[in-house]
């Protein structure tokens, strides 16, 4: 497995630059289905870089079960407001997919840019819809 020395995160998007964010009820975040301030949500991305693997990593094989957190310092920001990150690492059972589980910070209702940073490198900034 070739893993870059540090993460180069890219948030997965759909539609018109919307972040792929899954809400607590399993639905996809959208303007008609926004996340609420204080909710824990999951955003999916690639390019997370090195991890503390839960088991052996094999090219082309699913990630082992258990948590495999990224090793680089990391943050999630919504409109520049830092969120509490509960987990950032490989998505168990997926191939090359990472996730960040975070709490939606206190921001106003509406669309906000979402940015992940790992070891000082920032991701793209697709939108997340938030309600209060």
């Amino acid at each position: 497995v070739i893993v870059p020395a540090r993460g180069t995160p890219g948030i997965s998007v759909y539609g018109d630059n919307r972040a792929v964010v899954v809400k607590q009820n399993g639905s996809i975040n959208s303007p008609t289905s926004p996340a609420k301030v204080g909710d824990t949500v999951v955003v999916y991305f690639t390019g997370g870089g090195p991890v503390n693997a839960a088991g052996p990593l094999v090219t082309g094989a699913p990630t082992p079960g258990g948590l495999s957190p990224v090793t680089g310092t990391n943050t999630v920001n919504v409109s520049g407001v830092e969120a509490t990150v509960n987990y950032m690492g490989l998505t168990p059972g997926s191939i090359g997919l990472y996730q960040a589980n975070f709490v939606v910070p206190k921001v106003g209702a509406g669309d906000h840019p979402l940015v992940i940073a790992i070891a000082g490198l920032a991701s793209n900034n697709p939108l997340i819809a938030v309600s209060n």
Side-chain angles (χ1 to χ4, degrees):
V1 174
I2 298 172
V3 178
R6 61 189 225 184
T8 54
I11 297 173
S12 300
V13 297
Y14 75 95
D16 190 20
N17 197 37
R18 296 263 164 209
V20 176
V21 175
V22 177
K23 301 184 330 175
Q24 289 177 252
N25 66 4
S27 67
I28 301 294
N29 176 269
S30 72
T32 58
S33 182
K36 293 181 181 164
V37 169
D39 281 355
T40 298
V41 297
V42 180
V43 61
Y44 292 95
F45 66 100
T46 58
V51 298
N52 288 322
L57 298 176
V58 179
T59 299
T63 301
L67 300 181
S68 296
V70 298
T71 59
T73 57
N74 58 80
T75 59
V76 172
N77 283 278
V78 177
S79 275
V81 179
E82 191 166 331
T84 299
V85 177
N86 298 324
Y87 172 72
M88 186 178 295
L90 288 168
T91 301
S94 294
I95 299 173
L97 185 63
Y98 291 76
Q99 68 185 63
N101 302 14
F102 69 96
V103 178
V104 177
K106 188 171 184 175
V107 294
D111 289 337
H112 297 275
L114 176 64
V115 177
I116 293 171
I118 300 174
L121 290 178
S123 70
N124 53 332
N125 59 351
L127 300 174
I128 180 174
V130 178
S131 69
N132 296 75

